Amino acid sequence: MKNKILIHNTIGEEFEVDTAKLTWRPSVYGVLIEDDRILLSKQFDGYDFPGGGSNTDETLQETCKREVLEETGIEVEVLEPLGCYTSFFNPSHSVKHKNEYWNCPMIYFFVKKIGGEISKNGFDEEEKGYAELAEWVKLDKIKEIKLINSVDRVDNEKIILKAKELYDKVGM
């Protein structure tokens, strides 16, 4: 077992942390595509897939539905997994969690809209400080925006491409 692990924080700084300080925190994200657009959560100085940490009493699918609704106002049905990645993360932006260090399995699901309208009604107090109204972003503009998700740009683009292929296949 490693004694130290390279970790990054909210603003992208990297540093080593003793592995004994790591907490397991699965995170789940919903990828929603409609009409050559993707729904993204506007956060900090960029965009992220709507999603977040799973509670111990939730399934991954329940987390996905809850997080997408909280961050976007959109109700979704979870259809299919798109991928799983790992991020070692320090939520330095969070008053509540800034001194924590997480090993985050990041699970991405292809989702379908079943109701709701874009809103900020589900934001908690911390999200109100860094998140804005979710936006539909044209798929052909993805390379022009800043994706702040912990997964690197190549993997983000793979996730989006796979979701687009599923969207086209299902004919939603």
Side-chain angles (χ1 to χ4, degrees):
M1 184 167 146
K2 302 175 191 174
N3 292 328
K4 299 269 185 191
I5 193 89
L6 190 62
I7 197 165
H8 67 92
N9 64 15
T10 308
I11 60 173
E13 297 170 330
E14 292 185 333
F15 50 94
E16 282 192 342
V17 170
D18 188 327
T19 56
K21 293 182 178 183
L22 289 174
T23 302
W24 185 252
R25 185 186 183 269
S27 297
V28 183
Y29 300 86
V31 182
L32 176 58
I33 293 181
E34 283 188 357
D35 303 322
D36 290 321
R37 301 173 306 158
I38 186 167
L39 184 63
L40 295 175
S41 177
K42 193 156 176 28
Q43 300 179 7
F44 303 104
D45 63 344
Y47 295 86
D48 196 359
F49 300 103
S54 186
N55 296 321
T56 56
D57 64 342
E58 292 179 310
T59 67
L60 297 175
Q61 291 81 358
E62 288 169 339
T63 300
C64 187
K65 290 177 187 180
R66 176 182 54 77
E67 284 287 345
V68 172
L69 180 61
E70 286 175 2
E71 292 190 6
T72 70
I74 303 296
E75 297 172 63
V76 296
E77 175 184 347
V78 177
L79 299 178
E80 190 170 326
L82 294 169
C84 184
Y85 301 85
T86 301
S87 174
F88 294 100
F89 184 65
N90 162 241
S92 57
H93 66 281
S94 170
V95 173
K96 183 178 176 183
H97 302 288
K98 69 180 175 183
N99 295 317
E100 296 178 13
Y101 306 97
W102 298 338
N103 177 344
C104 296
M106 300 170 64
I107 300 107
Y108 297 83
F109 285 102
F110 176 57
V111 299
K112 172 184 171 183
K113 179 181 176 181
I114 59 172
E117 297 296 327
I118 293 178
S119 78
K120 299 192 293 186
N121 294 341
F123 286 10
D124 65 24
E125 286 307 308
E126 279 199 349
E127 288 168 328
K128 289 176 184 176
Y130 65 82
E132 297 178 34
L133 197 63
E135 294 180 15
W136 287 102
V137 176
K138 290 186 177 244
L139 290 172
D140 63 0
K141 301 290 184 195
I142 288 296
K143 292 183 186 221
E144 298 171 20
I145 66 169
K146 180 179 180 182
L147 290 169
I148 60 168
N149 190 278
S150 297
V151 175
D152 69 29
R153 181 166 281 281
V154 171
D155 289 328
N156 278 316
E157 290 174 6
K158 285 181 194 174
I159 291 165
I160 294 167
L161 181 60
K162 187 172 180 181
K164 174 67 169 127
E165 289 170 357
L166 288 170
Y167 175 82
D168 291 341
K169 181 180 170 183
V170 181
M172 295 191 315

